[in-house]
Structures are given as C-alpha cells and as structure tokens.
Amino acid sequence: MHTLSTFFLYLCERIMRKVRTIEMQRLTVEEYRQAEKLPLIVVLDDVRSMYNIGSVFRTCDSFRVEAVYLCGICQTPPHTEIHKTALGAEESVSWCYFNTALEAVEELKKTGYTVLSVEQVEHSTKLQTFAPQRGLKYAVVLGNEVKGVHQEVVDASDGCLEIPQLGTKHSMNVSVTAGIIIYKFAEELILR
C-alpha cells in the first residue's frame, strides 16, 4: 500500500499543468517598447497575405525583434486581417512601410545592418551552419508567397540564408520561414 501511495504522489508531481496567462508575467505593450530588442529587422518583400503578415508580427513580438519593414504590396496595420493572426502584436512591434524592398535594403545598409535574403540561391549559407555575430545588426528579407525575394534585392543583400528541405516541395509558407529564421537568431544571440 505504501508503494502505491508513493507512486500516486510521484505521478501528481509529474503532471504537467498548463500555465495560466496571468502566471506568464508577459510585458505590457509599453514595457515591450522599452525592452532591449533582438538586433534583427524582418523585411517583407511583396508578401500578399495579410494573415502571413500578422503571423510574422506575432512571431516578432515573441522574440522582441526590433522591427518589421513592410514593402511593396504588403498591407499595413491597422487592418482586421492582419490583426486576426497578429493578435495585437502589430501594436507592440515597430514597423514602417517602403515602396520596395530594395529601398528598405539600401536604407538598412546605410545604417550598418548586415542584410540577408532568405532564398534558395547558388552559394547560399545553409541555416544550420550560420552563426550570427554578437554586436552586429541584422536584417532578413522574406519574399512573396509565390515568387520569393526579388532578384534585385538578392543582388543587393550581403548574403542569402537557406533552410534545407527534405520533402517534395520547394518552399515553405513565409510565416513559417520567418519563425524558423527568427528563432535561429534568438537562439544564437539571446537564448544561450
């Protein structure tokens, strides 16, 4: 009988209870704006889907990304469809709009950012071998859902990152790609 009660207590201690939102002690929007940011700007080059844009905002909020640059055909907040997936992250994450991603890249390079397009190109750097350097500021360019990053933007970039893929498809959803890339930067620069 003693071993049964000991086993029951052991199980009770091992049960994984979901943490309530109030227990997570998340930042307020104002605290977020004042907090130190991951030295990364996410540039969206002609991303069509507002749901993808909203999802990128939400991921950027999760890792305290410095800003999102919306370019070309990208819609901008406030917009109901962006808000549906951003869930308010469009209020916390800084953003600005450029007519083209090339304009955004040129501005970023002038201000000392290393710009990396996320694209499948010759001589790309595979994500698993990439190690961002502390003390540098980075921007990553993510492209249109069908056409990817414009070639002139690739040409103006300091390099290209590629996420290796093992299946039959040649690409991933842009918001999924953003999550993978942003996590890589966060893991290397702030989570270690």
Side-chain angles (χ1 to χ4, degrees):
M1 188 71 163
H2 176 68
T3 56
L4 186 57
S5 63
T6 304
F7 180 70
F8 179 73
L9 287 172
Y10 170 78
L11 283 179
C12 288
E13 291 173 1
R14 304 297 291 173
I15 293 174
M16 289 185 256
R17 176 186 63 83
K18 286 178 64 173
V19 179
R20 295 178 300 165
T21 303
I22 196 164
E23 295 174 292
M24 293 181 196
Q25 300 178 345
R26 296 292 188 230
L27 301 176
T28 65
V29 170
E30 189 53 42
E31 289 169 334
Y32 179 93
R33 289 182 181 146
Q34 301 301 317
E36 185 176 347
K37 304 293 187 295
L38 179 65
L40 179 67
I41 291 177
V42 174
V43 180
L44 299 182
D45 179 8
D46 277 348
V47 172
R48 175 191 43 78
S49 167
M50 287 182 270
Y51 297 124
N52 282 334
I53 293 167
S55 182
V56 170
F57 267 101
R58 190 168 169 188
T59 302
C60 287
D61 175 274
S62 293
F63 293 102
R64 285 199 306 225
V65 167
E66 189 176 327
V68 174
Y69 285 7
L70 304 167
C71 307
I73 67 169
C74 291
Q75 292 295 309
T76 61
H79 200 288
T80 304
E81 288 182 31
I82 292 173
H83 183 73
K84 278 183 182 177
T85 50
L87 296 177
E90 73 277 28
E91 303 289 329
S92 56
V93 178
S94 295
W95 64 272
C96 61
Y97 176 81
F98 288 85
N99 287 324
T100 68
L102 186 57
E103 290 176 22
V105 167
E106 289 168 350
E107 182 64 30
L108 287 160
K109 290 180 85 169
K110 281 182 201 171
T111 56
Y113 283 81
T114 299
V115 178
L116 302 168
S117 286
V118 181
E119 191 58 83
Q120 298 165 351
V121 300
E122 295 174 345
H123 311 294
S124 63
T125 300
K126 302 298 188 254
L127 188 61
Q128 71 270 23
T129 65
F130 175 68
Q133 297 177 29
R134 291 185 185 280
L136 293 182
K137 301 183 299 185
Y138 290 94
V140 291
V141 183
L142 302 166
N144 175 272
E145 291 89 341
V146 175
K147 297 180 181 180
V149 178
H150 284 97
Q151 183 63 52
E152 65 267 18
V153 175
V154 169
D155 294 341
S157 297
D158 296 303
C160 286
L161 295 175
E162 182 176 341
I163 301 171
Q165 296 173 65
L166 307 174
T168 63
K169 299 300 172 195
H170 72 279
S171 67
M172 288 184 276
N173 177 279
V174 65
S175 66
V176 172
T177 299
I180 293 168
I181 296 292
I182 293 166
Y183 183 81
K184 175 70 171 183
F185 277 89
E187 178 183 43
E188 297 284 337
L189 298 176
I190 60 174
L191 296 175
R192 290 189 177 198

